[in-house]
Amino acid sequence: MPNPTILVFLDGPDATSASAQLTEVRPAVLELLTLGRALGRVDVLTMAAPSVPVLATLGAYGVQNVHQAQLPMSVPPLARRVTPILAAVFADAVRRIDADVLLVPSSYAGREAAAVAAARLGAGFVADASGLTWTGDGERPLRAAKRVLGGTWDTVSTIASDPAIVTVRANAITSKPAATATHPDVWPVPIEVAPPLVTVASRTVKDRDHGRPRPQEAATVVVGGRGVNGDFGPVADLADALGGAVGATRDAAFEGWFDSYIGQTGIVVSPRLYIGAGVSGAPHHAVGMSSSQVIVAVNNDADAPLIEMADLAVIGDLADILPQAAATIYAHKTKPGG
């Protein structure tokens, strides 16, 4: 099979304006670039112009070309992220570049737009894959590994169509720069958007906490549940000690203790390490974190459902256990060679 073209979508917080620049490459995208290199030649699709540091990072990961979507002037800046527009970008870019595979970071917006684009292209679509390989000795069709049914089954799906569109969950791949760096060129890709155009009445952007990674992409997530009784201090301290993100359950968010939650109707996370403090492990929450690689439960209720899911359970008062754990981690870091 000729060297296939793997197109990776590079989104960013600044991609809502035609004049904005992309100033970072998120860890989830670096993972997709690493995965893409194992499948073929890697190109990148962007909604905004990449900065010089971003181009350097893409080159370090072996990217050959950067394709910047050129949307019609009639598309308002606030509408650049909505599903019909993003799906049009995916579908047109795949057609014009003749990409064999489109890889998209797994998020609500990414999954929805990728599914719509797949329907328009007649492409096979798999959401939240954990790995991709060509069948046999580098030959089609593409095979996608995925964990389903609350993390109880590992499946492999065959994508017989060409092209294939796949969203890949964060932390499924260990990112690694290419053995030989490249110098990617930037090319414009005209995008056609069929009327009627989307009208966005308003959009509010929440300021990102630059001190911590996003829970959806973090390798470590420390989550507080109803058992924290409104005090997320120990949860945040442990997350900072581990260089991880802070999350919450739906109950904790509904109590007003945190502004977002992990669960079936909230954020979905798949960290390498999940620590649930005072988290009961209700089905709604389990759906949002069951693909975590290692699960640690800290709870004073030995019969909590999360205890059954956990690889390690610590039974006791989280107000005592979490500060001790954070102090021990900080002490280890300050030791010579720590």
Side-chain angles (χ1 to χ4, degrees):
M1 178 176 65
N3 198 26
T5 298
I6 314 301
L7 186 62
V8 174
F9 178 55
L10 169 56
D11 193 8
D14 303 321
T16 54
S17 169
S19 61
Q21 269 200 332
L22 289 173
T23 57
E24 65 173 336
V25 183
R26 300 203 310 265
V29 175
L30 298 180
E31 294 167 15
L32 295 191
L33 298 178
T34 304
L35 176 61
R37 290 201 315 269
L39 299 173
R41 189 194 74 175
V42 179
D43 283 5
V44 159
L45 171 65
T46 72
M47 296 283 283
S51 65
V52 172
V54 164
L55 283 175
T57 299
L58 297 179
Y61 277 77
V63 172
Q64 300 295 323
N65 296 291
V66 176
H67 304 278
Q68 183 181 343
Q70 302 293 308
L71 287 164
M73 295 298 294
S74 55
V75 177
L78 288 179
R80 293 169 66 88
R81 282 180 179 269
V82 298
T83 297
I85 306 301
L86 196 53
V89 171
F90 290 169
D92 256 21
V94 168
R95 288 194 195 101
R96 294 179 183 274
I97 299 166
D98 194 23
D100 297 279
V101 180
L102 171 65
L103 300 181
V104 179
S106 191
S107 65
Y108 282 115
R111 284 193 297 270
E112 189 171 58
V116 173
R120 293 179 180 177
L121 293 169
F125 173 65
V126 172
D128 296 338
S130 58
L132 295 169
T133 57
W134 294 112
T135 303
D137 296 326
E139 297 294 331
R140 286 184 173 87
L142 188 67
R143 294 166 64 85
K146 180 177 178 178
R147 182 162 289 183
V148 299
L149 299 176
T152 58
W153 288 78
D154 289 318
T155 65
V156 176
S157 302
T158 298
I159 306 175
S161 65
D162 184 14
I165 298 181
V166 183
T167 67
V168 181
R169 64 177 177 84
N171 297 307
I173 309 297
T174 301
S175 61
K176 182 183 298 184
T180 303
T182 58
H183 300 281
D185 295 317
V186 181
W187 304 92
V189 180
I191 303 298
E192 296 180 5
V193 179
L197 295 177
V198 175
T199 299
V200 179
S202 65
R203 182 173 183 268
T204 301
V205 179
K206 177 187 172 184
D207 291 336
R208 179 180 170 186
D209 184 354
H210 287 280
R212 300 189 183 102
R214 300 169 71 234
Q216 300 94 317
E217 299 176 355
T220 300
V221 179
V222 184
V223 178
R226 186 181 289 276
V228 303
N229 292 320
D231 183 7
F232 267 76
V235 173
D237 289 345
L238 181 57
D240 291 342
L242 293 167
V246 176
T249 64
R250 183 174 61 175
D251 286 348
F254 283 7
E255 290 286 350
W257 302 338
F258 208 73
D259 57 1
S260 62
Y261 60 88
I262 295 167
Q264 186 174 16
T265 57
I267 297 170
V268 176
V269 299
S270 54
R272 296 188 175 94
L273 172 62
Y274 165 99
I275 301 175
V279 175
S280 65
H284 177 278
H285 181 70
V287 170
M289 48 68 66
S290 58
S291 60
S292 304
Q293 295 180 22
V294 176
I295 298 173
V296 176
V298 180
N299 206 305
N300 57 13
D301 181 4
D303 296 323
L306 188 64
I307 301 295
E308 296 295 323
M309 297 177 59
D311 299 284
L312 172 65
V314 182
I315 308 301
D317 188 347
L318 65 87
D320 294 329
I321 295 168
L322 267 57
Q324 292 180 46
T328 301
I329 292 167
Y330 280 125
H332 178 74
K333 288 182 175 180
T334 57
K335 284 183 180 180

